[in-house]
Structure formats: C-alpha cells, structure tokens
Amino acid sequence: MPRAWEEEETDRGRNACSQGAVLCQKEGQRQLVLTTAFDEWTARAAEEAGVDMIVAWGSCQEHSKFVVEAVRRGAPNTLIGTGINPGAYESQEKALKLANEMRAAGTDIIYCSGLVPEKFAGLARQHVPCCGHVGYLPVNNTWYGGPRGVGKTAEEAKKVYDDVMALEAAGCIAVEMECVPAKVAEEITKRTKLLVFSMGSGPNCDGQFIFSEDLMGTNLGRYPRHSITYANLFTCAVDALKQFCLDVQSGAYPQARHCIKINDQEFARFQQSLASSPTRLDRVLDSAPKSLDQYDHF
C-alpha cells in the first residue's frame, strides 16, 4: 500500500503527498489544508477531497493507535499527524517510545500539544518529523481562564514568537498557531523556517486547519469563531434514521426486493421438519404462570 511519503502515482489519480513536497509550500506556492479525522470514512472523504494533512488522535496511546490505523486505511496517501499522550512529558525515552508506536500505527508527523521543546529535540535527532503548537493550547486551558485569543498584548505576542523559535531550534518542521491575532501570526510566519498552520490565526500563514466536525456540521458543542460549516451531516443523519423508523413502523420496509427467497419445495420440506416443534405462542403459553401461587410473596 502506498505510504504518504512516497512519490508514486496513486489509484486516486493524484501524487502521494510527501513530507518534502509539503515543506516546499513554505515558498508560498499555495496554502496547505489540514483537518481532523477519527474514523476511516472521514479520512477517505478528506483524501478524496484533496486535504494535505489529517490530524488524528485518541483518548490515550492505545486508543490513538486504533484511530490512526483506521484513518490510515481511509487515507493511504495523505500525511497523518498524531499527538502522543502526556506520558511523553516524563522522559526523553518515553517520548521516543510513544512516537515510535504511533509511527508504526501509520503516523507521518508527531503532533503534540504541550510537548516541551527538549522532548521534540530528542525526536528530531532520531529523524522524527514533529509539529508543535503555540498560542491557545487547550491542554493549558486553566492558565488562560478558558478559550481566548493569545497574543493581543506585545508581551504575549513576543511569547508566541519565542515559543515558535524554541520549536524551530528543537528541530520541528511545523507548528500549529491557534487563536493568535492575524497580524502577529503573519509577522511570525515571515520570520520562521517552520510551516505555520493557522487555526483561527488569519490567512497569511502557510496553511489553514479546521476540525472536520466544524466543516461538516457534526459538532455537537460550541462552534469556534474561526470555524466555517459547509454541510450539516448530523441533520442529514437524523433525517435518514427518522425515515427508517417510520418505514419500519408503517411496514414500508422491508419490501420484497429486500428479502431472500427460498423455493416452495424446500420451504415445504422445512415446514415438515418442524411439524412437531412448538410455535412461539406455544412456548409463551407453556412458560406463563398458571396461578399467582407461582410468585414469591413479600
């Protein structure tokens, strides 16, 4: 099966996306497109649509491996970025172990929110492509007092810049910049070799990243200000399931075309073989209590 870093023509009619090809986008050829996927179906849709990179993860390391394997099946020719769990913060050895497990599951880029630069440096020395995260980090939500823009003061903006430079020095190849003022994001993007993926940080980074549930209308929570929605798949799913309920209850489903047939001769033989077997009603009557005395009294 072709992998994301191979430069061969795929059966989907486009070149497999390589890490090198993605990095060349820093020259401004075009904006890169990132989204999330947590199942094979969404991943396949993302690849068919031409998404450059899919970010996928789970609730823990084992769950993440399960998710990534499904996403890789759906998108064999698309870059996959995956976070490694907080166990990576414990030591350099733990970070390498977890990263290697995720790469074996199908990950191309180790993508971690909150991983300190020293741990990224160790991964980079082992030639593991890494993507950092700056600006608003949900993992540090308590420190921010809830979701908010980060970098609206000169001091905060400089801290975002310093974080990017630290990740660059550690050997990362990219960074997600979340909820940073557009002017600040643009200025930092000009000054770093890293690919900068904007999540709510304006149009002048190297790519745009929005969660698939926001794009497709399956987000059951709050839609962030920077999101955009092109469909409402949740409503479509409810409508389809509601119609199924109605059809079953009315007898409209199943129809003859949905049923498997047996010829009359074989069915007659089958009935003969059941001649002495009780029907469902017989079984119900046999098991019914003959009087209230059969019940325990309290």
Side-chain angles (χ1 to χ4, degrees), residues 22-54:
V22 167
L23 286 172
C24 288
Q25 300 304 322
K26 187 65 180 176
E27 303 301 321
Q29 297 176 31
R30 66 173 178 84
Q31 287 269 300
L32 295 166
V33 179
L34 292 79
T35 192
T36 56
F38 305 102
D39 59 83
E40 183 175 348
W41 183 90
T42 306
R44 182 174 295 274
E47 178 160 300
E48 292 287 349
V51 167
D52 295 298
M53 178 173 163
I54 296 170

Side-chain angles (χ1 to χ4, degrees), residues 21-285:
V22 167
L23 286 172
C24 288
Q25 300 304 322
K26 187 65 180 176
E27 303 301 321
Q29 297 176 31
R30 66 173 178 84
Q31 287 269 300
L32 295 166
V33 179
L34 292 79
T35 192
T36 56
F38 305 102
D39 59 83
E40 183 175 348
W41 183 90
T42 306
R44 182 174 295 274
E47 178 160 300
E48 292 287 349
V51 167
D52 295 298
M53 178 173 163
I54 296 170
V55 184
W57 67 93
S59 58
C60 64
Q61 183 76 357
E62 291 306 309
H63 186 213
S64 288
K65 287 191 283 188
F66 175 82
V67 170
V68 169
E69 287 168 355
V71 170
R72 175 55 73 199
R73 287 194 301 272
N77 307 299
T78 302
L79 284 175
I80 296 177
T82 308
I84 51 178
N85 70 28
Y89 308 165
E90 296 172 10
S91 68
Q92 186 63 79
E93 291 74 18
K94 188 68 174 290
L96 284 167
K97 176 180 182 294
L98 297 178
N100 286 334
E101 288 180 2
M102 294 317 305
R103 294 184 82 189
T107 296
D108 300 305
I109 297 175
I110 294 301
Y111 187 112
C112 194
S113 179
L115 190 63
V116 294
E118 304 90 84
K119 302 297 191 300
F120 275 130
L123 297 178
R125 284 193 295 271
Q126 294 292 325
H127 308 290
V128 177
C130 296
C131 177
H133 192 176
V134 298
Y136 172 67
L137 276 62
V139 70
N140 293 336
N141 191 53
T142 300
W143 294 104
Y144 298 118
R148 67 171 179 86
V150 175
K152 291 184 177 181
T153 66
E155 292 77 16
E156 271 197 354
K158 181 59 163 55
K159 175 63 165 57
V160 174
Y161 171 78
D162 290 342
D163 289 344
V164 170
M165 291 300 107
L167 292 168
E168 181 180 303
C172 289
I173 65 170
V175 62
E176 177 192 335
M177 190 172 290
E178 183 167 353
C179 297
V180 171
K183 287 184 178 180
V184 174
E186 180 180 7
E187 195 64 30
I188 295 175
T189 300
K190 293 176 183 177
R191 297 170 184 272
T192 180
K193 296 183 294 184
L194 300 181
L195 284 167
V196 180
F197 303 140
S198 168
M199 177 171 276
S201 298
N204 294 310
C205 299
D206 300 299
Q208 300 295 322
F209 178 23
I210 295 183
F211 281 27
S212 60
E213 51 262 47
D214 295 339
L215 297 170
M216 299 190 298
T218 58
N219 184 349
L220 301 181
R222 175 182 172 274
Y223 284 78
R225 178 173 59 184
H226 60 260
S227 68
I228 185 169
T229 303
Y230 295 97
N232 195 326
L233 298 191
F234 180 77
T235 297
C236 291
V238 171
D239 289 344
L241 292 167
K242 185 181 296 183
Q243 188 60 54
F244 177 58
C245 290
L246 291 172
D247 286 351
V248 169
Q249 292 160 6
S250 69
Y253 178 88
Q255 298 179 14
R257 68 177 184 273
H258 302 123
C259 300
I260 299 170
K261 296 178 174 58
I262 183 173
N263 68 51
D264 293 341
Q265 183 178 1
E266 292 298 323
F267 186 64
R269 291 177 58 204
F270 168 66
Q271 287 182 306
Q272 289 174 5
S273 70
L274 300 179
S276 60
S277 299
T279 65
R280 182 192 297 183
L281 179 58
D282 294 333
R283 292 181 182 276
V284 170
L285 293 175

